[in-house]
Amino acid sequence: RVTDLLMLLLVLALSCNPSTAATASPSVPHAKPSYSFGRTFLGLDKCNACIGTSICKKFFKEEIRFDTWLSSHLKLPPSYLLSYSGNYTDDAKSWRLVDITRLTSKYQHDRADKRICTSLMKTKTCSLERALRRTHRLLENKPLCHVFPSHQGLSSPMLRCPSQRLLDRIVRRYAEVPDAGSIYMDHLTDRDKLRLLYTLSVNSHPILLQIFPDVEGWPFPRYLGSCGRLVVSASTRPLRDFYDATPEVAADLALQLLAVLRYLGNNDLNYFFYFTHVDAGTFGVFSNGHLFIRDASTLGIIDKEEGSQLMHGQQEYKDIFSCLTVDCQSAFVSCNSISEKHSLIMVCQELLPKLLKGKFLQPVQEKIDSFLQHCADGLASDQGVNKAVAKLAELLKPLRSCDSRFAYRYPDCKYSDKY
């Protein structure tokens, strides 16, 4: 027993002695690669003349990654690009595709920044925030009221024909603030007002995504947040990628496109949306085949319930915010001249011919081309254009198929006359 006890004590002593301890040590955990974000790349160095900061933590925690971030040795993508494809996660396990975009090109941003400094501070370099805080728009509304200060004179199509109801909706649903939901601006700090005004002056796309969210049935991708001058939203493929699609896919997308325009003109909130410009990147398609408005920057809004707040003959206020990204001398379309056929004509001229051309057998193709030409001419009345579009839709409906490629409506299309 004494021998056994001595042996036990010897073993314990050896195990506690560092010099005689086992050489096999647990493996050192691999250091997680850290991606270095420059404030300049994100545009945080220009805040509060930026869009917001609501999603910055996701970037710094690497819960938003660019597609080029798949290995640690790769660097950030070039800062001069207008958009990037990325991946987004909430649990670090499942990832989904997102679009990371700038409101305008870096060149235009830089030019606008220089314009602010030279016109307001009379220098080539300055503090953008300090310069913009001196403008009349941010000084005139003291105390705060429920109207966004000096909305008139901005280049954004969304605010060309503003109503009080629309302005209240912007303030109430602006998501880049901690406490949204009030039409009174006492929950907006000077910083919040500057960011909102800057965004509306440069590109109203993220504001439209916030105030008309996809979860309420609006045809826009989901707004996930902003960091500096980058906006993150759900990913879509531009319509141009589908110009060579099969006939049944082309017919389906054309019908969705017409349905979106119909909804923009007639919806429960009585807002009439119209495009000032459309191109192959204006609309996008989700992975489930559902078509949405990918770029809302060229959308104007007319309130059919309240009408326009801008009085005829009223002199619009002009300042640096009016000229950040456009020529101040540009002529704008009168609110009264916008009709129902306005957006339909653009789509019939620019998009539908490229999507539907040469896809179908005769005499169906000939009829499609005839209806498109009648719509694109713009010579008919609103009723005439609507009639041509309705006939086009009737022609396209039996040409689309019901299968798993159209996940947004499959298998519902098997059991519904709607499809």
Side-chain angles (χ1 to χ4, degrees):
R1 290 178 180 175
V2 172
T3 302
D4 291 342
L5 182 61
L6 289 173
M7 287 296 296
L8 177 62
L9 291 173
L10 179 62
V11 169
L12 291 174
L14 288 171
S15 65
C16 294
N17 189 341
S19 62
T20 57
T23 57
S25 60
S27 60
V28 178
H30 179 67
K32 185 179 180 181
S34 178
Y35 299 98
S36 177
F37 263 117
R39 290 172 59 83
T40 303
F41 179 86
L42 292 170
L44 284 172
D45 59 327
K46 303 296 175 64
C47 280
N48 288 310
C50 66
I51 312 164
T53 55
S54 62
I55 209 165
C56 287
K57 286 184 179 179
K58 287 278 187 183
F59 277 106
F60 290 117
K61 290 166 67 177
E62 296 174 28
E63 293 175 346
I64 295 177
R65 297 185 178 184
F66 295 92
D67 274 355
T68 55
W69 267 20
L70 300 181
S71 62
S72 59
H73 69 278
L74 293 176
K75 299 179 181 179
L76 288 171
S79 60
Y80 57 79
L81 296 178
L82 196 58
S83 63
Y84 312 88
S85 180
N87 296 279
Y88 175 102
T89 185
D90 287 318
D91 55 14
K93 297 177 182 177
S94 57
W95 294 81
R96 52 186 164 131
L97 291 174
V98 293
D99 289 332
I100 305 169
T101 56
R102 300 184 187 276
L103 294 192
T104 186
S105 68
K106 188 176 185 301
Y107 167 76
Q108 288 177 302
H109 270 311
D110 292 343
R111 194 173 75 164
D113 295 342
K114 289 179 181 178
R115 190 180 297 172
I116 291 170
C117 289
T118 54
S119 62
L120 296 178
M121 304 293 284
K122 309 303 180 186
T123 60
K124 291 184 179 180
T125 58
C126 70
S127 165
L128 293 176
E129 180 175 354
R130 190 177 303 117
L132 292 176
R133 281 179 184 274
R134 295 182 181 182
T135 60
H136 182 64
R137 293 181 191 268
L138 291 177
L139 295 174
E140 66 176 356
N141 275 36
K142 304 285 185 179
L144 298 169
C145 69
H146 71 298
V147 181
F148 186 71
S150 284
H151 54 274
Q152 295 170 6
L154 297 180
S155 61
S156 168
M158 187 178 76
L159 294 178
R160 294 310 307 164
C161 311
S163 70
Q164 185 62 63
R165 190 166 67 112
L166 178 60
L167 295 171
D168 290 345
R169 189 176 184 87
I170 293 173
V171 173
R172 186 172 64 250
R173 291 184 169 231
Y174 180 49
E176 289 294 323
V177 293
D179 181 25
S182 172
I183 64 171
Y184 294 96
M185 293 185 66
D186 51 2
H187 71 290
L188 295 185
T189 63
D190 285 348
R191 178 200 67 187
D192 298 328
K193 284 191 283 184
L194 179 55
R195 290 179 179 179
L196 176 54
L197 185 54
Y198 179 84
T199 307
L200 288 170
S201 302
V202 175
N203 188 326
S204 59
H205 171 77
I207 304 300
L208 273 159
L209 268 55
Q210 293 169 50
I211 67 176
F212 298 107
D214 68 307
V215 293
E216 295 179 4
W218 297 96
F220 303 110
R222 179 163 301 180
Y223 177 80
L224 298 173
S226 299
C227 183
R229 290 179 171 178
L230 292 179
V231 181
V232 183
S233 60
S235 177
T236 58
R237 288 176 60 192
L239 188 62
R240 69 171 69 90
D241 291 357
F242 296 86
Y243 284 165
D244 294 327
T246 59
E248 56 269 24
V249 171
D252 182 80
L253 292 176
L255 282 167
Q256 287 194 73
L257 187 51
L258 295 177
V260 166
L261 294 182
R262 188 162 54 248
Y263 184 77
L264 293 180
N266 296 279
N267 50 74
D268 293 340
L269 291 186
N270 266 335
Y271 287 115
F272 173 66
F273 296 76
Y274 65 93
F275 284 99
T276 57
H277 171 77
V278 295
D279 57 38
T282 301
F283 295 89
V285 183
F286 284 123
S287 58
N288 65 357
H290 207 169
L291 181 138
F292 276 63
I293 296 173
R294 190 169 189 258
D295 179 6
S297 62
T298 62
L299 268 181
I301 304 176
I302 295 176
D303 193 336
K304 295 195 290 186
E305 193 169 297
E306 288 189 3
S308 173
Q309 192 182 64
L310 187 61
M311 303 300 293
H312 296 292
Q314 182 178 347
Q315 183 66 33
E316 289 189 353
Y317 178 72
K318 297 280 187 181
D319 69 348
I320 188 61
F321 285 101
S322 309
C323 317
L324 279 181
T325 57
V326 298
D327 180 7
C328 274
Q329 307 303 317
S330 300
F332 295 106
V333 179
S334 168
C335 301
N336 295 328
S337 66
I338 306 296
S339 63
E340 278 188 56
K341 66 180 183 180
H342 185 87
S343 297
L344 283 171
I345 293 172
M346 287 187 181
V347 168
C348 288
Q349 289 174 342
E350 301 294 331
L351 303 182
L352 288 180
K354 297 173 184 175
L355 187 63
L356 300 174
K357 184 178 181 181
K359 290 289 172 66
F360 308 98
L361 299 175
Q362 301 296 357
V364 174
Q365 185 69 56
E366 186 178 352
K367 291 181 180 179
I368 290 174
D369 294 342
S370 176
F371 290 139
L372 284 178
Q373 187 60 48
H374 187 71
C375 169
D377 284 343
L379 300 176
S381 62
D382 286 356
Q383 187 176 1
V385 171
N386 286 331
K387 190 175 180 180
V389 169
K391 288 182 178 179
L392 175 63
E394 288 178 12
L395 201 60
L396 291 172
K397 279 182 181 179
L399 299 176
R400 60 180 180 173
S401 62
C402 179
D403 58 63
S404 57
R405 287 177 299 170
F406 310 99
Y408 79 96
R409 59 181 174 88
Y410 181 82
D412 295 350
C413 53
K414 280 188 174 183
Y415 311 105
S416 173
D417 294 336
K418 176 183 177 184
Y419 299 107

